[in-house]
Each structure stands twice: as C-alpha cells, then as structure tokens.
Amino acid sequence: MSNSRRQFLRDVFSLLVTAEAALQGGCKSRSTAEEPSRQALAPARTAPPQPLRGRVVLIRDENVIDDNDEVDSTVLKQMLDRAVATLGDVNDPREVWRDYYSPDDRVGVKVSCLPGPGGGRPVCTHSALTDLVIRRLTDIGVNPGNIVIWDRSNADLIGAGYKIRQPGNQPACLGCTDTKVGYSSDIYVSRTAASCLARFLTRLCTRQVSLPVMKDHGIVGVTGALKTWLGGVHNPNKYHPSDGHAVMIADLNLLPEIRNSQGLIVCDVLNLLYYGGPSYKPRTTARYGGLLVATDPVALDRVGWKLIDEHRTANGLPLLENDPNADGMPRKPDYILTAGDREHNLGEAALDMIKLIEITA
Amino acid sequence: MSGDSLEQAGERNKRLVEMGKLNRREFIASASGAAVLAAGVQMALAKGAPLSNVEARWYKKLPNKQVKCTLCPRHCVVDDAERGYCGVRENRGGVYTTLVYGVPCAIHVDPIEKKPLYHAVPGSFAYSVATAGCNMDCDYCQNWEISQARPENTFNYSLPPKKVISEAKKTGCKWIAFTYTEPVVFAEYVYDTAKLAKTAGVKTVMITNGFINEQPMRELCKYLTAVKVDFKGFSEAFYERTCHGKLQPVLKTLKTLRSEGIWFELVNLVVPTLNDDMAQIKALSEWIVRNLGPDVPVSFTRFMPMYKLTNLPPTPVETLEKARRIGLNAGIHYAYVGNVPGNIGENTYCHACGKLLVQRIGYDVRVNRVKNGRCPFCGAKIPGIWN
C-alpha cells in the first residue's frame, strides 16, 4: 500500500469518526484543531496545466447507445480515446491524461446523477463512461484505491446505476451527504457565491475529472460543466435564483478548490435533453451518441448550449433565450457568458473564438 | 435571523463580558436558566429523525410535473426532483412536499426577550423550534449553519405538533416560538402546531423575515398569538444585495399583520455602512407610524460580524442610540436598542408619562411594573400582551 493511498484511506475513515460532530449543526463552524487543514492531508495542490482555452472536441457515433439506453463500451472507449487524443493533438490519449493527473493524485470523478432516483438514468453520467475514465486513470498509474466516484448523495448515485463502495482496493463511490464524507465546516465565499464545499473538494482529493451531462434546465437554461459543481456544495438551492440570472454559478467556479483541481472534462452527451429539464423527459431527449471533451468548462458549456438550441429549433421549439420559465422569467444561460467575461476569465464563451473539432465515426 | 442558538448567545455574552458591557453576574443570570432548561429538553428527545414527506399546503401544479410554490414571493417554479430556493420543499413527481414537517433541527428554551419581544409577557419563556432552511440568504445571518443548510445536512429531531405542545408545557413555557431560521419555509408545521396550541392555551409566536405571501400569512394569523418581523432595512437595494430578498412584499406583510389585528413587533438589525443611514432610518420610522401606527415596538439591534460579513465591525452603540432617538422623534412610542445588554434603550418607558415600566439587562427582566396592561403611574394603556 503506497503512502498516499494509506493516507487517503486514513482520511476517509477519520471522517467517519468525526462525521456526527461535523453534521451536528449542518456545516457548523468548528475549530481549526478539529479540522486539519487541507495542506495537512493532501499534497499541496498546484494548478494543473493551463486549460486549452476555447478548444472543444465533439465526437459522435450513433452505434454507441441504443434505444434501450444500453451503451456499447467498445465503441465508447474508442470515442473517448480519440476525443482525448484529439484534444491534446497527440496520438496516445494517455499523454493527455498524464498531463493532468499523476500517480500520486487522489482523484475525484465527479459524475452527474440528480434525476437518477426518479427514473432519469438516461440523462445521468453513464456508468460505462465512468468505468472507462477510471481505466485510463489507472493506466497512467493512479492507484484504484485513490479514486472516488462522487456526486451529491448516495441515493442519486444509486438511482443513476452506481453501486456505493467504501474506500478500499477499488475506487470508492460515495455521495457528499454520506456521513463518512460531509462538507467543510467553513464557508467558502467567492463574490456572490457562498457555500460549504464537499470534502471531496477541500480535503480528500487532489484532482478532479468532471463527467457532467448536458441538459436543458428549467431555471438557469443549461446544466453542464460549470453547474455540475453544485453537486459539491451544501446549498445548491441558493444557486437557482428566480430571476434566472445565475451569476453565482460562475462565481462558484472561481474558487481554487474547483478551478485548480479540475483537469479533463468529459461531458456525457450520449443523450441530449433539450427541453423540459433537468428531470428526464423521454419525448424531448435525443439519442445523440456524443461526448464533449475539453479542459475549458466555459467553452464546453457554450458548445452544449448551442447543441441544445439546435435541437430545439429542429423540433419547433424556441431558443433558450426566447423561452422563459413557467413564471415568465428568462432562461438564457448567461452565467456561461459571465464565466467567460474578463473578470471571471474561466474560459472562452464567444462561439467565434471557440475551436470546435467535430469527429463523426 | 435575530434568534441565535444558546451557544451563540453564550459566546456573544462572553464577548460582552470581555468588552465590559456585561458583568459576570449579569451574564450568568441571563444564560444559566435557559441553558439548564435547554439541555434537559434536548436530552429528552431522540435525534436522527428521517425527513418528512408531507404535501405542501401552498402551491400550484403545472404541466410536465412542474409545480409553482405560492408560499413566498419568490414563486419558485420547481421541476420534478428539484427543490425550491429554501431547500426544504421538494417536487416529488409533481407533488410539492415539505421535508421538514415535525423534524426541527434546533430546540431550545429561551427567554421571550431573546426573540426579542418586549411587549409579550416579559420574563416568560418560549419553547423555541426551528427546522433547516430559509427563503432568504442574509450575508450576516447568525444561524447560517442551519438556515442555509438542507435538512439532510442537519441533525433533526422527531417532534410532531402535539409533542411540541406537550414539551412546552412540561418545560413551563408560556410560548412556543418558531424561530432561529425562517418559519415561512416550515409554515405547514407552524400552522398545525399553532392551531393545536391555541386550543391547549399555549401562546405561539413566529419570528420571521416577513417574506411571505398574503394568503398564507393570513391563514397563519388565525392561530398565532404574535409575530416578530426582522425588518432588514428600508431599501430595496439592501434587501436584494445583502439579503437576497425584496422589500415591497415585506412592507405588504406588515400591513397584513396590522389589518389582521395580531400583536407584532419589529426588529431592525443595523449594519455599519450598509443600512445605517439615518435618513433611511427616519424614513422607515415615519413609514411605520403612518402605516402601522405608533404602538408597534421597534428594536434597533446591534450587528456582530458573522457569516459572509466578517469584514465589518459591530455596530457602534451610539449609532443604535441615535436610531432609537430618530424612531422616538418620528412618533414611535416604543423604540428600543437591542443586543446591547445594560443599555437604557432596552427598557420600556411609558409613552404617556415617561416612567420606567420594564427594566431589562440582556434577556433578564429586573423590574416589570405594568399592571393589567396599564402604566401604574398614569394609567395609560400599554400596547402588547401582558398576561
């Protein structure tokens, strides 16, 4: 057992012991002595290589998924490898993985599972994709025991087809609300955003792979790579303002705990929910057979927004910016534009500046 | 919210002792009785209750399994499997559900002065309950650990309405207070508990931000004894930027309370540089006198650095005293200074003859001369609930 893995397990189990105290008052503030600093538990986190600003790969293969939502893992593996290699402009995708992750890392694999328990598995991150990502991480030397698949709650994960696994020799799979995990006791503030962060972001992991899904969203317009981190805050409801202007989502992504830990983003667009989201609506979900791969979350979301609008237009529906919610509030996902503005500078939001590389198998 | 946990109150009082604002004897007097009671209350109840699955009382069903909440002015449109802004009401397949009915996360026995209510049986105690959740997000919230949490992240007790009443009686409380977080978000629980309490002869008070729609407020008034409104500031910008709410609906609530004839008091937490403009306080005071009458007590209370606002100093006492003077000059009969134990602005003076009626130090009532709701010196009727 490597030192780092032993440390990881020790951290998780030490949280088990302190979980009750931690949850006593929600994310109650506790003394520094009770909660060791991140530096004490995790290697110092340095920023990953600069994101490939504005570079997005969209790969599609109609054979990757069938009408019963069964995924062909062989096809998906080819898609993933080809997309990642293309993103890095290399032949071997492992080179790109090595750029963003090292064998010493403790890697969080952030999946998106919210509508799973309500029968929404087709618009959750498919577990077949998660398995392939984990395989690539282990290929470059990351210890399986140093990997954890996570989202907001165990119920969400189970509903999306994941099996809850405690830390051990295999990748763990746990929700933030699991008593063994929980949230930071301190509040993290970034402009208008203020949240306790999942300990996956503050203590347990040194890097994240983000596997969001791309969907229409009834309040903020689009949910994708930027919004996926709401699965790692204690108060996601506060990020859904009734006026539709979700600037807080952009502000949240400024936090170093998110910005500096995020490496590759592999967005599951095997199905594309273009209307009626975020819960699953079979009649307005296209079997799309795609992956969006990038390191720039803003550019990825801007492309996803465009895909959703294209599907809406093709189906006789208004563009997002012309389709307010049931209370008449706008749903244009302008938080994506905010994330790309000069002040936030989280990525490229201008479509004409985004280099979209489309691959169709 | 103005109500704070016993621990927080204790910490605050310790700070005041350190600052020389409260002597040791006063500190012990204000905290120890409530602490003993509260410890007994919590030990008697089982923790770890599951969340409730009770259909909400105030919402509309929309197509595609969406719902629209009609409880508060946010009017959240909520998709299936999502929650409203408050975080405690969830759309489950097109049925809007409260997750916190009968599952409070905080239970304490507090002096009524802690709420603060100054004209509501001074010296009495309130069996105080709160669930997780709030429909605002004030940057200075002193209970943010529970008000901004989702209920699955707090430890909850199982305490159905009947049990609230029996526990209140058992602990000798005249009041049940819905407090600490925002009772609007657990309005169904408030409604049912207040209804039973009225029959059982226990008074109820809701400590609220007043950010609630008219219809549910009127329904709650049928059974509540009193309401205390945390008025954030007489500025739409302050409500929007600092509290993530809106001013106009709160003003409407105050008028609703007035028209219902229910007893209510106001608190205005004065935050340095953000809502401490004296012209604004004057405008607020004049609005109160004009629209609610001079008899609504108003407390100008002290801000302490908290939550997202840790960069500001506590409100200078002079600012609060000035605000109180402005309130009195505007015609408010009972303007107070709050969160400054020992300040004369905590006391109640007869609006007619000016004599001292109720002397307070912090939460401790030292003297109460009000007799049958009247001033013993001049016979003036003192507004409030005195028995």
Side-chain angles (χ1 to χ4, degrees), chain B residues 356-368:
Chain B
L356 175 67
L357 296 178
V358 184
Q359 185 188 19
R360 301 179 180 87
I361 294 180
Y363 306 144
D364 192 29
V365 174
R366 296 297 176 86
V367 176
N368 181 2

Side-chain angles (χ1 to χ4, degrees), chain B residues 3-157:
Chain B
D4 51 7
S5 72
L6 202 68
E7 293 77 9
Q8 285 173 320
E11 284 305 312
R12 192 180 62 210
N13 282 351
K14 278 180 204 167
R15 285 198 299 273
L16 291 167
V17 171
E18 286 163 10
M19 293 159 61
K21 301 286 183 189
L22 191 68
N23 70 38
R24 187 174 159 74
R25 183 172 296 165
E26 289 162 348
F27 165 65
I28 292 167
S30 66
S32 60
V36 170
L37 279 169
V41 168
Q42 295 204 346
M43 284 168 64
L45 299 168
K47 281 184 186 173
L51 301 185
S52 66
N53 183 15
V54 173
E55 185 171 5
R57 186 180 173 95
W58 296 278
Y59 79 102
K60 286 180 186 166
K61 293 188 178 186
L62 300 175
N64 293 321
K65 291 186 179 176
Q66 282 190 322
V67 300
K68 180 177 177 177
C69 185
T70 57
L71 176 59
C72 97
R74 277 188 193 283
H75 294 134
C76 291
V77 175
V78 185
D79 281 292
D80 186 18
E82 296 268 317
R83 292 189 193 175
Y85 185 85
C86 60
V88 301
R89 305 166 84 81
E90 184 170 283
N91 181 346
R92 294 185 168 175
V95 176
Y96 208 33
T97 303
T98 168
L99 308 177
V100 291
Y101 185 96
V103 281
C105 63
I107 304 168
H108 297 279
V109 172
D110 293 334
I112 197 74
E113 282 74 20
K114 186 178 164 186
K115 304 302 152 192
L117 268 87
Y118 286 160
H119 291 229
V121 196
S124 59
F125 281 84
Y127 189 83
S128 306
V129 295
T131 75
C134 184
N135 59 350
M136 285 194 188
D137 184 6
C138 300
D139 288 354
Y140 50 81
C141 182
Q142 58 187 323
N143 287 329
W144 68 270
E145 296 99 328
I146 52 176
S147 72
Q148 301 305 314
R150 289 154 72 99
E152 59 269 44
N153 297 334
T154 55
F155 263 144
N156 304 312
Y157 302 86

Side-chain angles (χ1 to χ4, degrees), chain A residues 326-348:
Chain A
D327 207 29
M329 293 300 168
R331 287 201 308 133
K332 180 182 177 183
D334 49 10
Y335 73 88
I336 297 171
L337 306 179
T338 304
D341 68 18
R342 191 172 291 180
E343 286 183 18
H344 290 77
N345 196 28
L346 288 162
E348 184 57 64

Side-chain angles (χ1 to χ4, degrees), chain B residues 236-278:
Chain B
E236 197 66 72
F238 182 77
Y239 261 90
E240 288 186 7
R241 290 178 198 154
T242 308
C243 303
H244 305 275
K246 288 187 184 302
L247 168 64
Q248 289 304 322
V250 178
L251 295 178
K252 189 175 177 187
T253 295
L254 296 177
K255 289 180 179 175
T256 301
L257 294 173
R258 167 80 171 165
S259 72
E260 286 287 333
I262 192 169
W263 178 250
F264 67 105
E265 302 188 21
L266 301 184
V267 162
N268 179 201
L269 189 87
V270 181
V271 185
T273 73
L274 297 182
N275 70 348
D276 62 347
D277 175 51
M278 291 300 148

